[in-house]
Amino acid sequence: MTSSISDPPAPPVGDPERRARVGAVLHAAVEAVGGTERSGQVQMAEAVSDAFARGEHLLVQAGTGTGKSLGYLVPSLLHNRRVVVATATLNLQHQLVERDIPALLDGARTVLAQTPKHAVVKGRGNYACLHRIREGAPDEQGVLIEAPSGSLGEEVVTLRAWAEEESDRSGVGDRDSAPSHTERAWRQVSVHARECLGAARCPYAQECFAERARDTAADADLVVTNHALLAIDAIDGVPMLPEYDTVVVDEAHELVARVTQASTAELSPPMVERAARRARAFVRGREADDLEDATDALRDALEVTPPGRIASPTDQLADALILVRDSARACHSAMPKESQEGETDAARQQVKGLVDEVRKVAERMAAASESDVLWLAEREGSRGGNELRIAPVDVALTLRDKLFGENTVVLTSATLKLGGGFDAVARSVGLWGSEQVGATGGATTAREPGDGTPAEGAAAADVTWDAIDVGSPFDYAKQAMLYVARHLPPPGRDGMAEATLDEIVDLVQAAGGRTLGLFSSRRAAEAASEVVRERLPEIEVLCQGDAQLPELARRFTEDPHACLFGTLSLWQGVDMPGPTCQLVIIDRIPFPRPDDPLMSARQRLVERRGGNGFMAVAASHAALLLAQGAGRLIRRADDRGVVAVLDSRLAKARYGSFLTSSMPPMWRTVDRELILGALRRLDAAAS
């Protein structure tokens, strides 16, 4: 893709004038936000600027506290072509747009010849839809209805009034700026892309919040978006972003998962049945009835299909999928292209999109391609029963060809080095072949035999990339200790052993609370909470599920002696600096479940290519989560504490060194009494 911004070509790599400009803007920006310039941040900004100038891909590991946002924002805003910045989470996207970029521009105003423009692009469902608000939302029969009654209705009325005010003052109209609301209420005032009438047919296109956001982005030098929209634009070829050829992917350790998620589809009998019933208002023949009959065939096939991966669909399931596909295609074709009397464009468009979605997913599942993995997922407590899901087995080749093959890409995160190197993450996103690690002093290395990457010639020519670890301002060896409970029995499938629960109680007691517990399952977190509450009644134990996560985090932060126990959502993105968190407990190595359909399929794919599936998939997955989990402990320069891993395999298994070398460089020990003493001293000092 080529940027529409036509500026002079960038100065050459190492150009003193360009580097001096980057340094001056970075210095002004750091002063503006009241921060301290760090050597790693300067090193990162120069490396990113060089990568843009030479058009080569770059991986940057920037530890917690480095200030990596400014490290890539400064060279991005100074680049002579449009740059797209993609994040994994809405929190970081909001931080960039609302805080970091405005502060940078304000602080650097005196050293910038002109102020670059920036914009944010979100999915259409994140913006209020004026057509739905003013014309109403179609019900199951396609009839336009007013706001629902009760508390939900009150929320919808409030959102409608807010959207009209936003329109009058040319506001953003996105969900982040809306009054407090539930998911159900927001669905009443927004549409998905497939339901949208489009600018050519919508009477409110000139006022449309989503269209205005895209117009703003088309004139911006820096566009902030998310991984999913980047994937849809670059990989699926659906234009979601203005033209670009330079990309920064923040939270890059999440890229593969988010791209996979964006390419994952679901199909269930209720979804097909809903499409058939909605289509009856627009189809005059039997096509809608045929689609509903196909629902029964799919339901019957799923009832005799065991949950888990479907390596090869049975004849009954294959026939049901073909029947759904063909019925949905016929139903879609039977729908009128133009509105009939009494019908609305919005309702018809919504139904056509729903029916076509059913057709596309059923067609993909019926194809049974080797590049996809199909499985039946259990939906506990759902009246709709189980549902079929399909996802790409591997996204590396796709990323290599569609993203890295057509753009200059910088990947950055606090955790890109797994097992002490960048290879694992690089291969997962399609970067194999040539690696220059000049910035870290390494030599150029070629793809290692048996690493599980496709054979030569399976994709485009080798992609040249560079990697740099700019370190962290924290002294992990002095600030943190890694304790592995080598004496405990290895974890089993029947829940935590009594000895492990005893260990948790002793560690929490020594720490005086102040504990973040990261558990592999909800059951384990609840079991540990129950035992600690019973044996240490003076310590408040908060468990995920007791309340919403923001509320639990607030209570944990306010009471330094409290404990917070939970599962995966606590492993990443939780920021609780200070004495409230001086002990992080990890109950077991977070390997993916052996029956995880997608992970097991990826392991087999690596093994078929001659690689080590366990190390490339399961161990790399665990290493990433361990690094993220351990990173919850040290969040600022004066933090101190212990990461306690209660899985003896970390000290005994051959893969243990790969996992520990992925974690921050903490001082390591297996001495239980030494750790208990250290925790008591930390508690006393904090008290």
Side-chain angles (χ1 to χ4, degrees):
M1 300 180 186
T2 304
S3 172
S4 60
I5 302 176
S6 55
D7 286 328
V13 177
D15 178 72
E17 184 179 341
R18 175 175 53 77
R19 284 199 165 191
R21 192 170 180 229
V22 168
V25 174
L26 179 62
H27 180 75
V30 170
E31 279 196 339
V33 298
T36 303
E37 196 167 87
R38 302 175 177 95
S39 60
Q41 188 181 55
V42 174
Q43 188 182 10
M44 177 180 179
E46 291 178 348
V48 172
S49 180
D50 287 348
F52 289 169
R54 66 174 175 255
E56 277 188 2
H57 309 307
L58 175 68
L59 277 66
V60 184
Q61 173 158 298
T64 304
T66 303
K68 63 180 171 62
S69 296
L70 289 181
Y72 64 72
L73 284 175
V74 168
S76 295
L77 286 167
L78 292 176
H79 191 46
N80 64 332
R81 306 171 81 115
R82 179 180 293 118
V83 177
V84 169
V85 173
T87 72
T89 62
L90 285 174
N91 283 343
L92 179 56
Q93 188 179 102
H94 186 77
Q95 173 190 314
L96 293 177
V97 174
E98 299 298 326
R99 190 187 74 185
D100 293 352
I101 296 175
L104 190 164
L105 293 175
D106 185 58
R109 200 177 306 278
T110 57
V111 292
L112 288 173
Q114 60 183 33
T115 303
K117 300 176 183 177
H118 70 282
V120 60
V121 175
K122 305 176 184 179
R124 192 167 289 271
N126 288 285
Y127 299 94
C129 172
L130 293 173
H131 187 281
R132 172 161 285 192
I133 287 166
R134 293 169 180 173
E135 304 290 344
D139 67 4
E140 289 296 307
Q141 284 73 45
V143 178
L144 295 175
I145 58 174
E146 292 300 318
S149 59
S151 60
L152 176 60
E154 292 175 3
E155 283 188 74
V156 173
V157 169
T158 301
L159 286 171
R160 287 178 173 179
W162 159 80
E164 292 293 358
E165 291 173 4
E166 285 284 281
S167 179
D168 289 343
R169 64 183 186 85
S170 299
V172 178
D174 69 351
R175 189 171 183 175
D176 286 345
S177 59
S180 178
H181 60 272
T182 61
E183 180 70 31
R184 288 182 63 200
W186 184 256
R187 287 201 299 268
Q188 296 290 324
V189 299
S190 63
V191 296
H192 291 292
R194 67 169 181 263
E195 302 166 345
C196 178
L197 293 176
R201 290 187 300 171
C202 181
Y204 308 111
Q206 295 300 316
E207 303 172 73
C208 176
F209 297 119
E211 291 298 323
R212 287 214 306 250
R214 278 154 181 74
D215 289 344
T216 301
D219 192 39
D221 305 293
L222 179 69
V223 176
V224 179
T225 188
N226 58 50
H227 290 183
L229 281 187
L230 177 65
I232 293 169
D233 185 273
I235 296 173
D236 296 341
V238 179
M240 304 296 292
L241 303 168
E243 290 186 343
Y244 60 92
D245 63 5
T246 308
V247 181
V248 175
V249 180
D250 201 346
E251 301 174 306
H253 61 278
E254 290 273 8
L255 181 62
V256 169
R258 300 292 172 148
V259 170
T260 301
Q261 189 177 37
S263 302
T264 298
E266 300 85 25
L267 188 70
S268 65
M271 176 181 172
V272 181
E273 188 172 41
R274 184 167 60 253
R277 290 179 176 175
R278 295 280 297 276
R280 281 204 181 95
F282 306 95
V283 176
R284 310 307 179 200
R286 278 197 47 84
E287 290 84 1
D289 293 334
D290 291 342
L291 183 57
E292 188 161 10
D293 290 342
T295 302
D296 296 330
L298 180 63
R299 185 178 286 111
D300 292 342
L302 295 188
E303 284 178 355
V304 295
T305 301
R309 186 179 178 224
I310 303 170
S312 179
T314 62
D315 290 343
Q316 182 181 4
L317 179 57
D319 290 344
L321 289 170
I322 291 171
L323 184 60
V324 171
R325 178 198 67 190
D326 294 345
S327 301
R329 181 186 292 124
C331 188
H332 187 270
S333 298
M335 296 183 73
K337 291 184 173 58
E338 301 297 333
S339 298
Q340 306 297 314
E341 186 176 351
E343 295 175 352
T344 67
D345 276 339
R348 183 173 49 83
Q349 181 74 11
Q350 188 181 66
V351 174
K352 286 192 75 171
L354 183 59
V355 172
D356 198 42
E357 181 73 11
V358 168
R359 192 266 309 167
K360 289 178 181 176
V361 177
E363 185 171 62
R364 181 180 172 191
M365 291 178 172
S369 169
E370 289 187 358
S371 62
D372 281 327
V373 56
L374 178 68
W375 73 95
L376 185 65
E378 293 183 280
R379 301 181 66 193
E380 296 180 7
S382 170
R383 290 181 296 176
N386 297 345
E387 68 178 14
L388 285 171
R389 294 179 186 169
I390 192 167
V393 178
D394 190 19
V395 296
L397 280 172
T398 304
L399 284 169
R400 179 183 180 89
D401 292 343
K402 301 292 188 181
L403 181 61
F404 294 95
E406 299 185 15
N407 306 282
T408 298
V409 183
V410 172
L411 304 178
T412 184
S413 167
T415 48
L416 287 184
K417 291 175 70 174
L418 302 181
F422 291 92
D423 288 352
V425 168
R427 285 197 297 269
S428 73
V429 297
L431 295 178
W432 55 84
S434 299
E435 174 193 7
Q436 292 109 32
V437 199
T440 54
T444 301
T445 59
R447 181 174 65 91
E448 297 179 4
D451 63 2
T453 52
E456 298 295 342
D462 285 350
V463 178
T464 303
W465 55 281
D466 200 13
I468 179 174
D469 180 3
V470 300
S472 168
F474 304 146
D475 189 343
Y476 284 101
K478 292 182 178 179
Q479 292 181 243
M481 304 172 77
L482 172 62
Y483 164 59
V484 181
R486 184 186 177 95
H487 62 284
L488 291 178
R493 296 184 178 180
D494 301 325
M496 281 190 290
E498 194 65 31
T500 303
L501 291 170
D502 292 341
E503 188 83 0
I504 292 173
V505 171
D506 290 345
L507 288 167
V508 169
Q509 185 175 37
R514 312 182 189 279
T515 302
L516 177 65
L518 305 178
F519 293 87
S520 53
S521 69
R522 178 66 66 88
R523 184 178 67 165
E526 291 172 348
S529 299
E530 184 179 346
V531 169
V532 176
R533 285 167 179 162
E534 179 183 334
R535 299 190 197 175
L536 303 174
E538 71 279 9
I539 292 177
E540 182 180 16
V541 179
L542 308 167
C543 186
Q544 193 173 352
D546 293 346
Q548 293 297 311
L549 190 54
E551 168 69 11
L552 293 175
R554 181 187 62 78
R555 290 167 60 187
F556 178 57
T557 304
E558 289 176 353
D559 181 359
H561 291 284
C563 298
L564 175 57
F565 292 174
T567 56
L568 193 60
S569 56
L570 292 179
W571 286 70
Q572 304 180 71
V574 177
D575 190 11
M576 298 170 181
T580 190
C581 180
Q582 293 189 331
L583 171 63
V584 173
I585 292 177
I586 297 175
D587 70 327
R588 64 191 299 163
I589 298 171
F591 290 122
R593 288 168 53 104
D595 59 352
D596 183 296
L598 190 53
M599 290 296 188
S600 59
R602 285 178 170 169
Q603 276 192 223
R604 283 190 288 271
L605 178 65
V606 172
E607 288 161 2
R608 287 202 304 271
R609 292 171 173 171
N612 185 324
F614 171 77
M615 292 301 296
V617 179
S620 292
H621 173 85
L624 179 59
L625 281 178
L626 279 174
Q628 288 284 314
R632 300 311 96 206
L633 181 68
I634 305 299
R635 308 302 296 175
R636 62 188 188 190
D638 57 351
D639 283 348
R640 301 287 187 276
V642 172
V643 174
V645 181
L646 309 184
D647 191 332
S648 57
R649 294 174 297 177
L650 191 63
K652 296 178 180 179
R654 290 179 61 187
Y655 53 75
S657 60
F658 174 84
L659 299 178
T660 53
S661 61
S662 306
M663 301 168 76
M666 300 172 281
W667 190 84
R668 302 173 187 174
T669 184
V670 295
D671 189 326
R672 181 175 186 272
E673 294 305 318
L674 185 151
I675 286 296
L676 292 176
L679 287 171
R680 293 187 190 104
R681 289 191 296 274
L682 284 169
D683 177 39
S687 298

